[in-house]
Amino acid sequence: MTNELNNIINEAGIIDAPINDVLLQLNNIQPMAKAQTFTQTVKERAEAFKNEYKDTYTPQALKEGIQAIYDEEKAKVEQSIQSENESFQAKRIKAIEHARQQLAKSEDLSSDEITKRVYHTQNMQSDLSLELMTADTGSSISAILSEKMENATRDKMTARALLSSLHLFTSKIEGLPDSDRAYLLTRLKMNRDELSKLVNGTKNEAYKQLVEQLEKQDTNVYGADLLSINMNPNIERYL
């Protein structure tokens, strides 16, 4: 996930502070590092405690002392995890809001622009419906898609209209044999990604992907550490 976010940012050339802040914290998270540090700290403190009191404390007293060490270190690491996760979540929300604001700026359209887009999309869908009506093979559908993509690369309005009309290809492709269907669905996805970049621009597409990816990070980013710490609460291994 982190590498994917880094690639999105780097490829789009985004240097926005709110987004860089959240990625910096994500990049610095080392999976299981807190759990490993916790285990090592308890082990070292337990050994020191046993060495100091093994000749004067009863086995039960030693066990209670080590339990106190375990509980103290566990409380510390849980507090650290909670604090750092809250910091991350605050940065994550701020980054999502920033990305959405940037997208909103680019989508603030005049009524004339909206009318033009609707007109081109309706014409595109009307033409496509007629052309696809007689296309009953993978090669014929592929030829139509190639022609439309070629036109779209030369005109942004055409690209936008085609992007909004690709579902017509999907419906037609579903009725093809497995081999043709698999190939064309893969190609359609690639063409959709290409059109998205043409229509939205590299940065806008990156902002959309950032929002999508960061919205999935709404749980504790140190969840694996917490799971490991709570998996084996028995202190026998430290005695």
Side-chain angles (χ1 to χ4, degrees):
M1 178 69 74
T2 304
N3 287 338
E4 186 174 352
L5 288 173
N6 286 329
N7 290 337
I8 291 171
I9 289 295
N10 292 334
E11 289 176 7
I14 294 174
I15 56 174
D16 310 11
I19 291 172
N20 288 340
D21 286 347
V22 75
L23 283 183
L24 180 61
Q25 185 165 351
L26 266 180
N27 289 333
N28 287 333
I29 293 175
Q30 299 178 18
M32 300 301 291
K34 289 186 178 295
Q36 292 167 0
T37 299
F38 163 73
T39 300
Q40 185 61 29
T41 300
V42 173
K43 181 180 178 181
E44 290 174 358
R45 287 191 62 189
E47 285 297 324
F49 183 80
K50 286 186 293 183
N51 289 337
E52 184 173 356
Y53 296 107
K54 63 183 178 182
D55 295 329
T56 55
Y57 279 23
T58 64
Q60 181 60 31
L62 284 173
K63 184 175 182 180
E64 290 173 359
I66 292 173
Q67 181 69 59
I69 290 171
Y70 178 89
D71 293 342
E72 179 186 342
E73 292 299 331
K74 185 170 183 286
K76 285 181 182 178
V77 72
E78 287 178 340
Q79 178 58 44
S80 172
I81 285 174
Q82 179 181 346
S83 176
E84 292 186 35
N85 184 62
E86 287 175 355
S87 171
F88 168 77
Q89 294 300 336
K91 292 175 183 176
R92 182 184 70 88
I93 292 170
K94 188 175 181 179
I96 290 174
E97 290 175 349
H98 175 79
R100 284 177 173 160
Q101 288 170 0
Q102 298 306 306
L103 288 170
K105 289 179 182 178
S106 67
E107 295 171 358
D108 187 13
L109 305 175
S110 67
S111 58
D112 286 345
E113 180 65 17
I114 293 173
T115 300
K116 288 180 183 178
R117 292 187 182 189
V118 170
Y119 173 78
H120 278 80
T121 299
Q122 288 176 340
N123 281 350
M124 172 70 73
Q125 292 183 358
S126 178
D127 291 344
L128 260 180
S129 295
L130 290 174
E131 292 181 59
L132 288 172
M133 192 177 296
T134 56
D136 52 8
T137 65
S139 58
S140 58
I141 295 173
S142 179
I144 294 172
L145 181 57
S146 294
E147 179 191 353
K148 299 301 179 186
M149 283 298 299
E150 184 177 349
N151 293 334
T153 58
R154 295 196 293 264
D155 179 69
K156 190 172 182 179
M157 189 66 76
T158 300
R160 183 175 285 107
L162 181 57
L163 181 61
S164 299
S165 307
L166 289 180
H167 64 280
L168 297 175
F169 283 100
T170 304
S171 300
K172 194 71 178 181
I173 290 169
E174 289 299 334
L176 295 175
D178 290 347
S179 58
D180 287 341
R181 183 169 67 249
Y183 163 73
L184 284 172
L185 286 175
T186 299
R187 181 182 169 189
L188 197 63
K189 182 182 183 305
M190 294 173 62
N191 288 157
R192 180 178 285 109
D193 291 342
E194 183 180 349
L195 288 169
S196 292
K197 291 179 180 178
L198 287 171
V199 169
N200 300 317
T202 304
K203 281 194 174 182
N204 277 10
E205 189 62 23
Y207 283 129
K208 287 183 178 181
Q209 292 183 51
L210 278 167
V211 170
E212 180 181 336
Q213 296 296 335
L214 287 175
E215 283 182 335
K216 298 175 183 177
Q217 297 273 4
D218 60 346
T219 55
N220 196 320
V221 288
Y222 298 94
D225 290 87
L226 280 174
L227 181 63
S228 176
I229 290 167
N230 291 304
M231 189 176 296
N232 185 11
N234 195 322
I235 66 164
E236 295 296 327
R237 62 190 186 278
Y238 300 113
L239 297 177

